[in-house]
Amino acid sequence: MEYLASDKIAIVDLGSGDITEEELDEDLVLEKIGGVGITQSLYDRFEGEDPIVLGSGLLTGSLVPGSALSVMTAKSPLTGKVSHVPVVLDAGIEFKYSGFDYMVIKGTAQKPVYLWVHDGIVDINDADEVWGKDVWAATDYIREFMGDDLIQVLGIGKAGESGSPLATTCINYWQGGDRLGFGTLFGQKMLKLIGLRGMGLLEIAEPEDFVEDCLALVSTIKSGPLKGKKGIAQMAVTLGGEDIEDWISPLIHRHMACFNTPIPTNSFVFLDEDPALLEESKVNEPGMLLTDIHPLITLKKMGLSAKDACQVLKECAKYGIDAAAVAELSEKAGTTALEDMVKSFPELKGPVDSAGTSIFSPWAMVGNQDRDTWERRQAVSYILGIHPLFALMTSELTEAKLLDLASLGTELELTQETLDEVVAEVSGKS
Amino acid sequence: MGIKIDGLLCTACMACELACGYHRDDAFALLSSCIVPYRGREKKNYLGVMLKEEDSLVAARPEGIEINRIGEEQDPDKEADASAKPMLLRESCDLCEDLDDGPLCIRVCPVDAISVE
Amino acid sequence: MDIYERFKTLNSRLIRGENIPFSEGIKGLSHPSGTNRDKPLAYPAIAIYAGQGASHSWLWFVDLFDRMGLYDLCFLTDTTLKENGLRGIDVLAMSGGDTFAIAEGLGKSGAREIERFIRSGGLYMGSCAGAYLPLNSSKPFLNLFNYVPAKITNLTRSLPTALRLKEKFCTSYGCSFIFHPVRETVELKTNGFAPFGKPKTLLAPLYGGPPMILSDPAAVLARYTGFTDHTLFLVDRKLAEETVLGTAAVIRKKMGAGHFHLYGPHFEHPRFPTANHLMAAAMYWDLRRGNPPCPRTDALQGDAFLSKKSAKHFIRAVKREISNARIVAAGLEMQPVQWTIGNKVYDPGKIRVFLEAIWSRLGVLEKAPRLCIQPGQDGATMRHTASLTSLVRATKRDSDQGRNTPDLARTLFSELSHSSMLFLDIYFRTQAYHFGGIHEA
Ligand code: SF4
Ligand code: SF4
């Protein structure tokens, strides 16, 4: 596969330590397009070996607005279904530029390890120094050891290490979009984290037309109904969800976008620093990045102050436990004190409604979405590599437009028919 | 004429960096862009945008613009910071002079944090 | 076809032993008159100096020769040059760096080797520091290399005021100073003498190279004629004009059966095709011999090969380490550090120049049917590239903690240079072996 791809699939056997590589066959792309289309087929191929499959979408890392998404496909310990979670912030594109399009992680390591994926190389490294560390400390360690602050880390904390069914895979310091317990799978595999850094290059089949089309899309989106929208609270309102803006906004420092996503869907709150500060804070860990609206809504309902709610989320992110599940179970148990919630982390167990019933992480199930439309939009985003929340908000990103871009970028004829087939297949409706 | 950046508006989306990389390499890559949102202080949420011009490095910080002339000595009393000598070997901003519709980074920035002045 | 491809095609014929006269082989120049017009061209054996005092600019020569299909390359340090390193070599390319350190490193025996090499017909191509080295001087070590009676106009007893780049502005020279009035792109005009063809104006980058005055006008191939929008003035413009304009930028001087080609500006810089073209043309013009035979390329047939499995392992190991080091180097590029090594100032961006020189060539080796090495060279390259990762990481840690450690930087730069030489040697052996289809299976 020559365009918009590194043309490489890594198959990592944690049990034997073997790493093999395969080319990304153009026929596979013609048949399955990319993203979950291909992670699903790789999952099926290695099903007997409990794989976690990491993959990027066809348009991930390009100039198409919202092209931030990579995905992980595995069997969710919470729903029992083969499911998909989004890899957002800057981790999705870091994987795309790391020299691999897909990576199958199979088997179980004999002792804790981490994967270091860089420029087309996968190293399985001893995790002695990071196992036992919380998510933040582990990210700090890897970045310092490898010597680069831009390394993106997909990792687990104590929750995943200790087998909590609610363990989530975090991105750097923050909770990502994994509501399906993939952190538990990492822990079972003795896989502490995946460090990603790539300085690759993606060739484009028709660069000028492709880029012009992307620029035209940016300009339409910028002047459309999303103009000026920013932050986690406004995004929820835009999608018909609960309005928590007044409650959270006094803490907000800045709004942050995932890679090339025109709407910043994340908000950074300062908890130990003045949110209005413009200069660099002297406090080492002044706050945290909010990426998921659901736990905030629940905690607000429970009567927590915005600051306490954000503290809960910060502790969850460090421990690597899904904050939405924690909020839900705390609400059910009537636990409202911050310390009690944190103390309860080791004992918390499912089942939880926060895992949803879809094969896509319900992280992007914000507001009152029509279920079928939502599923379809998720599937399309997860195949092409578009931020799933952004895709829900952006009608300008039509399937036809995305397919056009995919064809321009790759020189392959990718039709609506193929997309329909892949969507049906990943949704189990074929 | 030069590029002006509002460091406070920036959402660190990296679209400008990718667009500038495309302008250099005719492909998607990030290593040669002369405009780079600075993402290195993630836990502190301190970010701005750096731009390499012909003879200066512009750091558009949230608190304001700082211009360092390339080759001029820094104030020795000032704390060393990330914008002092970065990207020296990258090509400087040429305002996308070969493009009829003007600078790519401006066209791609979703929050209009970049303009020409 | 661009000039590099044209030269590559020419060289693919030369390496096969074809007989091509200069006037037929070197296209695109108005043809110079002179005795060498009809001389058959040769595929040269080239040595690039990368020893003590050399800066990263020797890699520009590497790029130039690589793009032109000149693969019969080897790399010399001050030590290997003195140990008979110039045997079998036609061209010695000496690029920028710290002239004093180069002279000191080479010392008396190095000077003797170079003199013997040129007198016996070798071609010395020096740019920037490499151009200063053979100019007459009374200073210790430099006076071992008094081969070309040219004066430089940027020598002064009282330094003018530096407008910028204080660290790159001057070098002390006994009780005097060599100062650099301008940097970056300057305008030159060729004089119409062979081998440069009819007079023409061109651009080339100046990074501290000499403005020269020579009593023999016929030896001056090009002069500095003007500045450009991209010229960076380190002193007052008027003084820069007085010091630089009208002086010799390129000179060609005979010694024994061989020649010096001295370039003030970096004609080998990868972004200046016209300068590259002239430099290469001049090189062919003064090569000591014609084709055939081609002794070193014959010798290349005897090279050792790595097995497929070892080659894969080797490329993976080097790729892993260079990737690791490159990732840190890209981060360091954003940091406000620089180091002074000898008389030269290095900033972290230069780390990447070495790493890219290796990185950008890994793909070619990955695809090469066979890897040619000397015994033990693969192991040494893997060891050295691995130590690069630890050194660059340690440098980053120091810089993160606000420590500026020139010693570490010195070790790092010397390791970068060493690893690059080891790797590039394998690269060029392999390229030479497969070039021109002479060793097709
Ligand atoms: S104007 Fe063009 S060259 Fe300059 S920063 Fe923007 S994209 Fe890069
Ligand atoms: S495109 Fe605009 S918002 Fe995005 S990183 Fe650049 S300046 Fe910031």
Side-chain angles (χ1 to χ4, degrees):
Chain A
M1 173 74 177
E2 198 178 343
Y3 299 112
L4 298 185
S6 304
D7 194 26
K8 232 158 64 167
I9 302 175
I11 296 149
V12 180
D13 186 339
L14 294 178
S16 65
D18 289 342
I19 295 160
T20 46
E21 285 171 13
E22 294 177 3
E23 282 178 10
L24 175 62
D25 197 348
E26 218 166 82
D27 289 341
L28 184 65
V29 178
L30 277 169
E31 196 192 340
K32 310 277 184 192
I33 305 182
V36 285
I38 292 177
T39 56
Q40 175 76 58
S41 78
L42 287 167
Y43 180 90
D44 295 343
R45 193 174 131 198
F46 293 97
E47 192 173 5
E49 297 168 273
D50 285 332
I52 300 173
V53 187
L54 179 57
S56 57
L58 190 76
L59 297 172
T60 309
S62 70
L63 267 184
V64 177
S67 60
L69 187 73
S70 283
V71 294
M72 279 195 286
T73 297
K75 190 169 185 178
S76 162
L78 289 172
T79 65
K81 294 182 197 171
V82 178
S83 318
H84 316 287
V85 304
V87 178
V88 283
L89 297 174
D90 296 335
I93 68 121
E94 203 65 61
F95 178 62
K96 181 88 177 191
Y97 282 94
S98 74
F100 296 98
D101 305 301
Y102 298 90
M103 185 162 77
V104 178
I105 305 164
K106 58 180 195 170
T108 301
Q110 273 132 34
K111 56 201 277 280
V113 294
Y114 68 90
L115 297 181
W116 170 224
V117 185
H118 55 117
D119 295 318
I121 304 263
V122 184
D123 293 325
I124 305 179
N125 290 348
D126 197 320
D128 272 357
E129 296 288 339
V130 274
W131 193 261
K133 280 193 163 57
D134 73 28
V135 170
W136 290 34
T139 298
D140 281 342
Y141 174 85
I142 290 299
R143 287 182 169 180
E144 199 193 320
F145 177 74
M146 296 295 178
D148 184 12
D149 291 336
L150 298 183
I151 290 168
Q152 300 296 303
V153 182
L154 268 178
I156 58 169
K158 298 228 170 82
E161 290 179 15
S162 60
S164 161
L166 306 176
T168 184
T169 43
C170 292
I171 298 173
N172 306 339
Y173 307 101
W174 326 116
Q175 170 145 14
D178 167 20
R179 290 268 212 78
L180 293 171
F182 281 26
T184 315
L185 303 178
F186 270 48
Q188 284 164 358
K189 289 186 174 301
M190 302 284 257
L191 175 62
K192 175 68 181 178
L193 57 85
I194 307 173
L196 301 165
R197 187 75 172 113
M199 301 187 180
L201 182 140
L202 304 172
E203 300 279 3
I204 317 152
E206 300 284 346
E208 280 174 25
D209 292 346
F210 185 94
V211 168
E212 271 315 314
D213 279 12
C214 292
L215 290 166
L217 262 175
V218 177
S219 137
T220 319
I221 292 167
K222 258 164 72 171
S223 51
L226 290 178
K227 187 175 171 50
K229 292 264 183 297
K230 48 180 187 275
I232 193 163
Q234 282 186 13
M235 181 200 60
V237 175
T238 309
L239 287 167
E242 212 154 314
D243 189 350
I244 61 164
E245 194 163 9
D246 291 346
W247 178 71
I248 198 77
S249 59
L251 296 179
I252 289 182
H253 177 240
R254 285 181 82 155
H255 302 294
M256 304 290 296
C258 296
F259 172 81
N260 191 22
T261 304
I263 308 299
T265 57
N266 314 291
S267 299
F268 204 102
V269 287
F270 270 2
L271 305 172
D272 302 307
E273 179 62 275
D274 174 11
L277 180 78
L278 292 181
E279 289 84 22
E280 184 174 357
S281 173
K282 301 256 186 297
V283 181
N284 230 354
E285 294 176 354
M288 72 157 317
L289 186 70
L290 304 174
T291 59
D292 189 353
I293 190 82
H294 302 83
L296 290 168
I297 293 173
T298 311
L299 294 168
K300 177 173 179 276
K301 228 189 288 164
M302 288 161 66
L304 270 75
S305 69
K307 191 165 182 178
D308 276 357
C310 291
Q311 283 291 3
V312 175
L313 264 57
K314 182 174 172 179
E315 294 305 326
C316 288
K318 288 193 166 187
Y319 195 76
I321 191 164
D322 176 25
V326 168
E328 180 187 330
L329 294 171
S330 300
E331 188 186 24
K332 281 187 188 146
T335 317
T336 50
L338 174 63
E339 306 79 64
D340 295 341
M341 278 192 214
V342 174
K343 256 192 235 143
S344 74
F345 286 172
E347 275 76 48
L348 292 181
K349 285 194 184 50
V352 279
D353 296 338
S354 60
T357 52
S358 169
I359 51 160
F360 300 107
S361 172
W363 169 78
M365 179 56 112
V366 180
N368 293 322
Q369 310 279 319
D370 166 69
R371 180 64 186 247
D372 286 345
T373 319
W374 184 84
E375 289 266 351
R376 169 93 198 179
R377 204 60 180 148
Q378 295 301 290
V380 171
S381 311
Y382 277 59
I383 291 165
L384 290 161
I386 306 299
H387 192 292
L389 281 167
F390 175 68
L392 288 173
M393 293 187 272
T394 319
S395 53
E396 295 87 343
L397 276 181
T398 58
E399 289 181 13
K401 186 79 238 168
L402 289 168
L403 282 170
D404 256 12
L405 282 162
S407 301
L408 270 180
T410 57
E411 228 173 26
L412 301 177
E413 211 182 311
L414 300 165
T415 61
Q416 184 69 46
E417 203 184 343
T418 314
L419 180 63
D420 290 343
E421 274 166 27
V422 181
V423 170
E425 220 167 274
V426 294
S427 314
K429 289 176 188 154
S430 65
Chain B
M1 217 168 66
I3 290 287
K4 191 179 152 209
I5 306 158
D6 183 335
L8 198 55
L9 279 181
C10 173
T11 60
C13 76
M14 296 165 71
C16 53
E17 189 177 351
L18 187 67
C20 190
Y22 166 77
H23 167 57
R24 300 287 173 207
D25 294 331
D26 283 332
F28 293 134
L30 298 164
L31 219 53
S32 46
S33 356
C34 57
I35 186 163
V36 178
Y38 187 65
R39 301 177 288 139
R41 315 221 177 138
E42 188 174 344
K43 267 202 288 186
K44 295 189 175 194
N45 196 224
Y46 181 71
L47 64 109
V49 184
M50 291 194 293
L51 171 75
K52 188 190 172 201
E53 293 185 322
E54 184 86 39
D55 52 7
S56 57
L57 288 159
V58 179
R61 303 168 180 282
E63 66 269 35
I65 301 273
E66 187 181 305
I67 298 173
N68 296 296
R69 304 279 294 171
I70 293 175
E72 274 178 12
E73 272 170 37
Q74 304 297 309
D75 177 354
D77 296 332
K78 221 173 60 184
E79 214 178 303
D81 72 63
S83 61
K85 271 197 179 301
M87 319 196 288
L88 279 187
L89 293 186
R90 297 193 187 197
E91 290 196 36
S92 333
C93 171
D94 59 8
L95 287 164
C96 292
E97 59 193 359
D98 58 329
L99 298 178
D100 295 340
D101 293 320
L104 274 185
C105 55
I106 298 183
R107 297 175 70 197
V108 88
C109 178
V111 293
D112 294 330
I114 315 174
S115 52
V116 233
E117 62 169 10
Chain C
M1 219 198 274
D2 67 18
I3 62 143
Y4 307 102
E5 279 160 28
R6 280 213 303 272
F7 274 106
K8 201 170 208 167
T9 310
L10 168 70
N11 282 317
S12 71
R13 295 172 61 197
L14 292 177
I15 201 171
R16 287 196 298 258
E18 282 189 40
N19 203 323
I20 307 164
F22 185 95
S23 52
E24 186 196 319
I26 307 295
K27 305 277 186 216
L29 282 182
S30 50
H31 270 132
S33 53
T35 45
N36 291 351
R37 256 181 74 89
D38 303 319
K39 191 178 91 169
L41 295 171
Y43 191 75
I46 302 171
I48 295 178
Y49 179 76
Q52 179 176 316
S55 75
H56 68 295
S57 60
W58 62 268
L59 292 168
W60 295 340
F61 270 123
V62 169
D63 282 349
L64 176 72
F65 297 143
D66 192 8
R67 286 158 89 191
M68 292 182 165
L70 290 161
Y71 299 135
D72 191 0
L73 277 193
C74 70
F75 303 94
L76 296 178
T77 63
D78 36 300
T79 314
T80 53
L81 187 147
K82 287 183 269 192
E83 288 165 355
N84 239 336
L86 290 168
R87 199 173 45 197
I89 295 295
D90 304 311
V91 180
L92 170 61
M94 180 76 79
S95 188
D98 178 349
T99 320
F100 295 92
I102 297 172
E104 191 182 348
L106 289 171
K108 212 182 213 151
S109 57
R112 227 180 11 243
E113 286 296 316
I114 291 178
E115 182 170 345
R116 189 181 308 151
F117 164 74
I118 299 167
R119 287 196 184 282
S120 67
L123 170 63
Y124 175 103
M125 275 167 46
S127 75
C128 202
Y132 280 109
L133 184 72
L135 300 184
N136 283 358
S137 167
S138 56
K139 298 287 164 276
F141 295 111
L142 285 178
N143 58 10
L144 300 168
F145 299 81
N146 284 349
Y147 303 125
V148 180
K151 286 198 169 70
I152 51 175
T153 58
N154 56 337
L155 189 68
T156 178
R157 276 183 181 271
S158 58
L159 265 185
T161 318
L163 298 178
R164 54 175 62 197
L165 285 174
K166 290 207 178 88
E167 74 282 3
K168 297 199 166 148
F169 163 67
C170 72
T171 318
S172 74
Y173 187 83
C175 334
S176 309
F177 298 94
I178 291 177
F179 72 104
H180 307 303
V182 295
R183 279 176 77 81
E184 306 291 341
T185 315
V186 292
E187 188 196 271
L188 315 165
K189 193 161 179 197
T190 63
N191 281 352
F193 301 136
F196 273 7
K198 286 205 186 103
K200 65 149 89 182
T201 302
L202 74 150
L203 302 177
L206 187 64
Y207 294 118
M212 300 169 279
I213 293 180
L214 204 65
S215 53
D216 173 12
V220 178
L221 296 186
R223 293 187 187 279
Y224 298 96
T225 48
F227 301 128
T228 71
D229 289 349
H230 297 282
T231 308
L232 203 64
F233 290 89
L234 307 193
V235 298
D236 169 64
R237 186 174 179 128
K238 194 155 172 291
L239 175 62
E241 285 174 357
E242 283 165 16
T243 315
V244 177
L245 300 189
T247 65
V250 183
I251 59 184
R252 171 174 175 257
K253 192 82 183 96
K254 200 166 166 47
M255 184 166 85
H259 289 86
F260 286 100
H261 291 179
L262 306 182
Y263 297 82
H266 283 277
F267 267 52
E268 76 283 15
H269 191 287
R271 284 211 303 271
F272 293 83
T274 310
N276 291 175
H277 190 176
L278 288 173
M279 185 177 229
M283 179 189 79
Y284 285 100
W285 184 263
D286 279 330
L287 276 186
R288 71 166 96 200
R289 59 179 168 75
N291 239 8
C294 198
R296 261 183 56 100
T297 36
D298 287 349
L300 287 170
Q301 293 187 37
D303 272 352
F305 302 106
L306 273 185
S307 71
K308 274 224 146 39
K309 198 170 158 214
S310 310
K312 208 172 156 194
H313 173 70
F314 167 76
I315 288 169
R316 224 185 149 69
V318 173
K319 196 170 174 184
R320 166 181 297 114
E321 298 308 336
I322 298 302
S323 159
N324 279 329
R326 230 173 134 238
I327 286 168
V328 190
L332 258 177
E333 224 195 337
M334 301 290 160
Q335 305 220 350
V337 271
Q338 55 180 209
W339 309 277
T340 304
I341 300 174
N343 279 318
K344 284 272 166 186
V345 175
Y346 286 77
D347 49 57
K350 293 202 176 135
I351 301 173
R352 245 185 75 193
V353 179
F354 285 97
L355 297 174
E356 293 302 324
I358 300 178
W359 185 256
S360 61
R361 290 176 172 87
L362 275 163
V364 172
L365 290 195
E366 243 167 345
K367 289 193 202 103
R370 319 181 77 167
L371 281 200
C372 308
I373 56 145
Q374 286 181 309
Q377 211 177 6
D378 51 335
T381 310
M382 289 190 283
R383 270 196 313 282
H384 281 281
T385 47
S387 83
L388 270 185
T389 302
S390 359
L391 280 166
V392 75
R393 281 181 182 162
T395 308
K396 171 80 170 22
R397 265 194 294 277
D398 271 10
S399 138
D400 280 347
Q401 284 156 15
R403 289 197 298 262
N404 186 334
T405 38
D407 281 352
L408 190 58
R410 187 174 298 116
T411 318
L412 171 62
F413 277 102
S414 119
E415 194 58 277
L416 280 165
S417 185
H418 197 76
S419 301
S420 308
M421 276 192 267
L422 279 167
F423 174 84
L424 289 171
D425 196 76
I426 298 176
Y427 170 85
F428 281 106
R429 259 167 217 287
T430 304
Q431 286 284 59
Y433 181 79
H434 294 103
F435 192 47
I438 41 175
H439 295 117
E440 252 144 41

